[in-house]
Amino acid sequence: MKQEGIIEAQQEDRGTTHQRKFEKVNEIIGRLGRSRSALVPILQEVQEEYRYLPEEILTYIATALGLSPASVYGVATFYAQFSLEAKGKYVIKICDGTACHVRGSNPVLEAIKKRVNLQGNKSTTDDLRYTVETVSCLGACGLAPVVMINDKIYGQMTPEAINIIIDELEKEDAADE
Amino acid sequence: MEQKNTVLIDGQVVEINGEKNILELTRKIGIDIPTFCYHSELSLYGACRMCVVEVEGRGIMASCSTPPTPGMKILTNSPRVQRVRRTVLELLLANHDRECTTCDRNGSCKLQDLSNRFGVKKIRFGERDVKLPLDHSSRSLVRDPNKCILCGDCVRMCSEVQGIGVLDFAGRGSQTVVAPAFNKNLAEVECVNCGQCAAVCPTGAIVVKDETDRAWAALNDPTKTVVVQVAPAVRVALGEEFGLPAGEIVTGKLVAALKRLGFDKVFDTSITADLTVIEETNEFIKRLQSGERLPQFTSCCPGWVKFAEHNGADFLNNLSSCRSPQQMFGSLVKKHWAKDLGKKPDEIFVVSIMPCTAKKYEAALSNMTTEGVADVDLVLTTQELARMIREAGLVFDQLDVESFDTPFGFTTGAGVIFGATGGVAEAVLRAAHEFVTGQPIEQVNFEAVRGFADRKEATVEIDGQEIKVAVVHGLGNAKKLLEEIREGKADYHIIEVMACPGGCIGGAGQPISPDRETKKQRAKGIYNADKLSQLRKAQDNPMVAKFYERWLKEPNSAEAHEALHTTYSNRGRITGEEIQLIAGEQPKVDIAVCVGTCCYLDGSYDTLQKLMKLTETEQVQDRINLHATFCLEQCEKGPVIKVDDEIINAVTPETVEKVFKEKILKKLAAAGE
């Protein structure tokens, strides 16, 4: 039931969202200027919009800035902050640094993967709702094991706790829609 | 008495004379400091660290990027320098696929050469365990990222000299690679196949595609008549492969070698270069008289033609419609000469020996055929021919000279100078005056268009009219010129463009040569060959006159157009996806708006925005698909939009409403019924 609702909602907003995002890209380029030095800020803001950097948008930015697509691709792949693959609405980062690892980050990771139905090496769910990544250290070892969902930190995670948090997210989403 | 402006290099007092870096200074006094990433024609990069020297008080420094200051004490071969160099080499080799014996650059590889020179006997580090896939997609080049040492020479060559930027660094740290945009293949991006990246690559990371196997197969096929044509620039460079000095004219030995290899007929591309001059000059005079499609650009360089197709769509009408001499040759052989022999086009196998890698691509174009058979079956570069000569065991230096066969063997100096930058323009000038006035010119040498300056200009008077000529070589220079013409800052009647610096003599198929001096010697050889010619003007070639008599009637005739001319097509910069903007639930009309370079500059985004507003106010979003695309290949009249299959030019924000009402709403209304 719920899954169907999500897909429907996505289909509904496909038309207008693409248009709005593309307008935003042009607004960003217009505001930050078409100089070479504006490239990184432009990429940052564009990524905010799309949650990643789509190939065709990078080509478009290259055209607008008078750079070769290869150079823009070079910059986009150099920085870890940029992603060329579509990311989910929620990016779940689970810390697997030493402290988190010994306090049991692995069972938490498995629980997340199971919960959002991610198999094998895939990191993003097909419905583009969740991206699950492991990171080396979030700098909050006192709260180990730590999970970060978008900009929010959750400490002392357990497989049970993470399920409750994801329940909450889904509830909020359902309310929004 | 104190010498102020001097440095001490290995105990030797050396005066600084405007040298920009220590490297130049040491090379001046005959010390050859090793380098990978230093090229005098490219910007400083300072990445390879091979050129290190020891500066007293400052330690180990990269000599390429350190300016000499008075009083410096420099050691170029101290134990410390030796140790650092060897370590650098070892580290590079650790990341390098060391399959030297099967590498195309075996013997001409700088990494191999320097490892040998600096006595690297053992590599203490492990090997890279992940093999990256090779890129065989290009007709002309093969990329092997496993052999790349990340010196960036190709990256800078492509963007700085050629003005394109197909390649750049991607990724970071140990994951860094040199790759086209989005890790695509070379065939999917705006690569023009000039091969200058391969010419500067110090290793085998980018090489010319070797097709000698196909040549051997044809030579050993008894059902084929195998003919070969040789481009002008080959004869002044092939000798270098066999220890002869650059620029030495080896035409006689070259012909002899080809005959010994088993080619049935050996011909000279210069004769169809003469033919090109006649066709192109007549075309030019017509345009000059009508004042249309000027300036006229030359079209014999396939690298330039492809560049124009990607980046100069607004100038495609200005390109001469003449095929290149290589393709004219192939076309004449397959369309006409074959009939003389009583053979079908597929019974004759045409091989070209070219200084050029882009010629491989050109020969494979789908419109360069006769009865469905390629006009030129195989293009080999000078390098590949040298390989065949070596494989056959021919001692090049000891070959007795032989001469070209008829009918495609008799040439004039005009056809030969096609091999150097400025040559085509000069050959056309030798003809234009005579064609217009009927009077031959006395002075056939046009020195102003010769030489290696970035742009050469000349003004020639023909029948009271001033003709302004420009010659550029290196596509970066061509790009600048196109921009100036667009802005109205430059104005010429005829423009010669060669993709490679120096023209064809500097082509990427030529023997690997790192310095400009070699190219200068080759150019000198070309002009010497011209001087040695009895006939200096294309229109004096009696064989070419016979071609017209027998096959082509007259210049620019229907027959000549059929055999010797071609058309061009716009090409987008990159293959890839479109930007989806509106995806209607029940789309009845599909609308694409071009946001490629030309259209974008023409204001296609404003058109697009207006269009999106219109769809909103008319509430038709559900019934249309709208996307932004990267090239609709109609770049001369942007902004371009496409409604279903219909392409509409020049849709400005002012006219878009009309187009929307007349085309889109009507279609929707029709679909609604």
Side-chain angles (χ1 to χ4, degrees):
Chain A
M1 259 305 272
K2 195 174 258 177
Q3 200 67 9
E4 273 168 31
I6 292 167
I7 290 167
E8 238 165 64
Q10 274 193 338
Q11 274 173 348
E12 203 171 299
D13 75 11
R14 191 164 292 154
T16 47
T17 326
H18 282 301
Q19 195 179 332
R20 189 184 53 73
K21 281 182 184 167
F22 188 61
E23 276 169 27
K24 190 75 201 283
V25 170
N26 281 280
E27 185 272 316
I28 293 165
I29 296 172
R31 179 160 41 81
L32 295 173
R34 295 194 198 168
S35 72
R36 231 183 138 80
S37 55
L39 179 59
V40 170
I42 288 173
L43 294 181
Q44 284 169 329
E45 291 203 20
V46 168
Q47 179 158 290
E48 286 275 300
E49 273 308 304
Y50 284 86
R51 299 204 299 266
Y52 77 113
L53 296 170
E55 204 172 279
E56 61 273 18
I57 298 295
L58 286 179
T59 309
Y60 184 76
I61 294 170
T63 308
L65 267 57
L67 297 168
S68 80
S71 302
V72 174
Y73 177 68
V75 172
T77 52
F78 182 83
Y79 294 102
Q81 60 174 308
F82 295 128
S83 169
L84 274 81
E85 273 158 32
K87 286 206 178 178
K89 182 177 178 190
Y90 297 106
V91 179
I92 305 177
K93 289 179 181 159
I94 164 117
C95 182
D96 197 27
T98 315
C100 290
H101 188 84
V102 291
R103 301 284 301 263
S105 62
N106 240 345
V108 179
L109 174 64
E110 289 311 317
I112 299 171
K113 280 186 155 179
K114 197 174 161 202
R115 172 63 204 262
V116 302
N117 198 17
L118 264 182
Q119 277 134 9
N121 287 329
K122 280 183 81 172
S123 62
T124 299
T125 55
D126 290 336
D127 60 3
L128 290 184
R129 185 144 281 226
Y130 299 104
T131 295
V132 181
E133 295 170 346
T134 57
V135 292
S136 296
C137 185
L138 287 166
C141 311
L143 301 174
V146 182
V147 168
M148 190 170 156
I149 302 180
N150 291 350
D151 291 331
K152 217 166 159 194
I153 300 266
Y154 301 87
Q156 296 177 331
M157 276 297 111
T158 60
E160 294 75 34
I162 194 72
N163 268 306
I164 296 170
I165 290 165
I166 295 174
D167 281 343
E168 288 293 318
L169 293 179
E170 306 229 312
K171 239 182 250 167
E172 274 171 39
D173 269 358
D176 285 350
E177 281 153 13
Chain B
M1 56 160 256
E2 194 188 345
Q3 276 264 347
K4 276 231 168 103
N5 207 19
T6 58
V7 296
L8 209 58
I9 300 178
D10 299 336
Q12 197 179 337
V13 179
V14 184
E15 197 179 338
I16 308 172
N17 225 333
E19 284 82 5
K20 285 194 275 312
N21 50 56
I22 297 175
L23 185 66
E24 275 183 38
L25 205 59
T26 53
R27 286 197 173 165
K28 200 177 74 176
I29 60 161
I31 297 172
D32 179 22
I33 290 188
T35 56
F36 286 117
C37 73
Y38 180 83
H39 283 270
S40 50
E41 288 153 47
L42 303 177
S43 66
L44 283 179
Y45 191 53
C48 75
R49 313 317 278 181
M50 271 313 288
C51 69
V52 288
V53 292
E54 192 172 350
V55 179
E56 196 186 271
R58 291 170 72 178
I60 292 285
M61 325 230 15
S63 64
C64 72
S65 45
T66 310
T69 50
M72 254 185 187
K73 286 181 186 158
I74 300 160
L75 295 173
T76 67
N77 196 30
S78 68
R80 217 175 136 196
V81 168
Q82 288 174 339
R83 205 168 57 236
V84 171
R85 268 185 202 147
R86 260 184 226 141
T87 309
V88 166
L89 275 170
E90 246 185 289
L91 287 165
L92 288 174
L93 286 165
N95 260 327
H96 181 80
D97 173 8
R98 298 195 296 278
E99 286 287 335
C100 287
T101 45
T102 54
C103 179
D104 274 18
R105 288 293 294 274
N106 188 9
S108 65
C109 170
K110 223 168 170 182
L111 184 59
Q112 192 184 42
D113 173 48
L114 292 183
S115 306
N116 190 20
R117 191 174 133 194
F118 293 101
V120 177
K121 297 289 170 212
K122 199 179 144 203
I123 289 125
R124 289 168 287 172
F125 316 103
E127 275 178 52
R128 204 156 53 173
D129 45 3
V130 185
K131 279 260 185 291
L132 297 167
L134 271 62
D135 176 2
H136 287 285
S137 67
S138 163
R139 296 288 319 188
S140 309
L141 303 162
V142 179
R143 255 175 8 98
D144 182 352
N146 304 300
K147 289 178 182 158
C148 179
I149 58 166
L150 303 176
C151 65
D153 289 356
C154 54
V155 173
R156 283 172 295 135
M157 177 52 94
C158 194
S159 66
E160 292 172 13
V161 176
Q162 300 300 61
I164 309 174
V166 163
L167 298 166
D168 209 329
F169 290 98
R172 178 159 68 159
S174 63
Q175 307 294 315
T176 309
V177 289
V178 168
F182 314 112
N183 231 338
K184 286 179 187 289
N185 287 328
L186 277 179
E188 298 172 310
V189 293
E190 51 181 335
C191 172
V192 301
N193 304 302
C194 73
Q196 287 299 316
C197 50
V200 290
C201 181
T203 71
I206 307 179
V207 295
V208 178
K209 185 168 268 183
D210 186 318
E211 296 180 287
T212 48
D213 281 353
R214 284 185 57 210
W216 290 124
L219 288 169
N220 290 313
D221 182 346
T223 66
K224 301 263 187 205
T225 301
V226 187
V227 304
V228 60
Q229 57 168 324
V230 185
V234 177
R235 65 203 64 184
V236 292
L238 181 68
E240 293 163 38
E241 291 273 358
F242 304 99
L244 299 170
E248 185 162 321
I249 306 166
V250 294
T251 321
K253 287 186 191 298
L254 165 60
V255 175
L258 289 166
K259 290 193 171 167
R260 294 274 291 274
L261 288 175
F263 289 97
D264 296 309
K265 293 281 179 189
V266 182
F267 295 132
D268 190 348
T269 312
S270 312
I271 191 169
T272 38
D274 280 345
L275 192 56
T276 306
V277 175
I278 292 171
E279 287 293 317
E280 197 164 323
T281 310
N282 276 292
E283 188 184 16
F284 174 61
I285 290 166
K286 261 186 221 152
R287 290 193 194 182
L288 198 61
Q289 283 161 351
S290 66
E292 281 165 9
R293 292 155 76 196
L294 291 171
Q296 177 173 308
F297 288 92
T298 58
S299 59
C300 12
C301 170
W304 151 242
V305 169
K306 189 158 186 269
F307 180 85
E309 289 181 325
H310 285 297
N311 304 287
D314 44 339
F315 287 106
L316 282 186
N317 271 327
N318 293 57
L319 257 66
S320 159
S321 64
C322 289
R323 294 184 190 188
S324 69
Q326 157 173 289
Q327 294 306 137
M328 284 194 182
F329 176 90
S331 180
L332 283 186
V333 165
K334 297 250 168 144
K335 283 184 181 66
H336 297 290
W337 189 65
K339 283 188 190 137
D340 285 8
L341 299 186
K343 287 190 185 288
K344 290 198 191 101
D346 62 355
E347 290 171 312
I348 298 186
F349 193 88
V350 176
V351 180
S352 309
I353 310 295
M354 292 285 145
C356 176
T357 51
K359 289 282 172 196
K360 287 177 183 272
Y361 161 85
E362 185 188 37
L365 285 172
S366 59
N367 57 352
M368 300 289 180
T369 54
T370 300
E371 293 172 28
V373 180
D375 287 336
V376 174
D377 295 277
L378 174 64
V379 178
L380 298 177
T381 58
T382 315
Q383 294 171 20
E384 288 164 273
L385 174 62
R387 209 168 290 146
M388 286 181 77
I389 293 172
R390 277 194 288 265
E391 187 170 354
L394 301 176
V395 183
F396 189 75
D397 209 19
Q398 290 172 15
L399 289 167
D400 267 340
V401 297
E402 288 194 50
S403 63
F404 287 115
D405 292 307
T406 50
F408 300 98
F410 190 87
T411 66
T412 71
V416 175
I417 55 173
F418 266 57
T421 165
V424 181
E426 183 165 346
V428 168
L429 290 176
R430 288 179 189 178
H433 186 272
E434 191 171 326
F435 287 2
V436 173
T437 64
Q439 299 296 317
I441 43 163
E442 288 303 314
Q443 176 51 264
V444 295
N445 292 341
F446 291 87
E447 297 284 347
V449 296
R450 298 185 183 180
F452 283 68
D454 286 348
R455 187 185 305 174
K456 296 165 281 180
E457 296 167 314
T459 308
V460 186
E461 201 197 294
I462 296 180
D463 205 20
Q465 189 177 359
E466 282 206 333
I467 308 295
K468 285 189 269 179
V469 187
V471 173
V472 287
H473 55 126
L475 290 171
N477 292 328
K479 192 177 168 187
K480 265 183 230 142
L481 182 59
L482 291 187
E483 273 158 25
E484 284 180 31
I485 297 172
R486 282 189 189 115
E487 290 165 10
K489 287 181 191 159
D491 177 31
Y492 300 99
H493 293 100
I494 187 160
I495 298 170
E496 177 201 302
V497 186
M498 293 293 158
C500 294
C504 307
I505 47 138
Q510 298 278 59
I512 303 283
S513 79
D515 55 359
R516 182 162 266 203
E517 196 43 44
T518 308
K519 287 181 197 162
K520 285 191 174 153
Q521 289 307 318
R522 291 177 191 161
K524 204 172 158 193
I526 286 277
Y527 288 112
N528 282 341
D530 172 36
K531 269 192 254 171
L532 289 169
S533 303
Q534 293 273 316
L535 301 173
R536 308 281 301 277
K537 291 176 284 186
Q539 63 270 32
D540 295 344
N541 190 326
M543 292 310 293
V544 170
K546 271 203 181 133
F547 296 160
Y548 279 109
E549 210 179 286
R550 295 205 47 217
W551 299 330
L552 303 164
K553 296 199 174 150
E554 57 185 48
N556 291 185
S557 67
E559 289 79 2
H561 264 276
E562 162 75 21
L564 311 176
H565 291 252
T566 185
T567 53
Y568 308 106
S569 46
N570 292 298
R571 293 175 203 277
R573 284 176 73 190
I574 189 166
T575 61
E577 306 240 321
E578 300 176 324
I579 305 173
Q580 272 299 331
L581 295 169
I582 298 176
E585 267 176 29
Q586 288 177 311
K588 304 283 184 205
V589 179
D590 191 78
I591 310 161
V593 178
C594 181
V595 291
T597 314
C598 290
C599 288
Y600 186 82
L601 295 174
D602 285 337
S604 65
Y605 176 65
D606 296 331
T607 300
L608 181 60
Q609 217 170 17
K610 191 91 182 277
L611 196 60
M612 291 195 283
K613 289 247 165 65
L614 285 168
T615 59
E616 213 170 297
T617 43
E618 297 287 336
Q619 297 192 330
V620 293
Q621 289 121 310
D622 288 352
R623 297 160 66 207
I624 60 159
N625 271 335
L626 177 65
H627 37 103
T629 180
F630 282 103
C631 199
L632 288 168
E633 307 188 345
Q634 292 282 313
C635 313
E636 58 275 8
K637 280 178 243 128
V640 184
I641 76 169
K642 192 170 139 201
V643 179
D644 289 336
D645 288 332
E646 186 186 0
I647 286 191
I648 308 165
N649 287 316
V651 185
T652 61
E654 291 75 44
T655 60
V656 67
E657 193 163 349
K658 195 165 159 242
V659 172
F660 181 73
K661 280 191 177 141
E662 284 175 11
K663 303 283 180 189
I664 299 163
L665 284 185
K666 260 189 199 165
K667 278 202 171 194
L668 283 172
E673 276 158 16

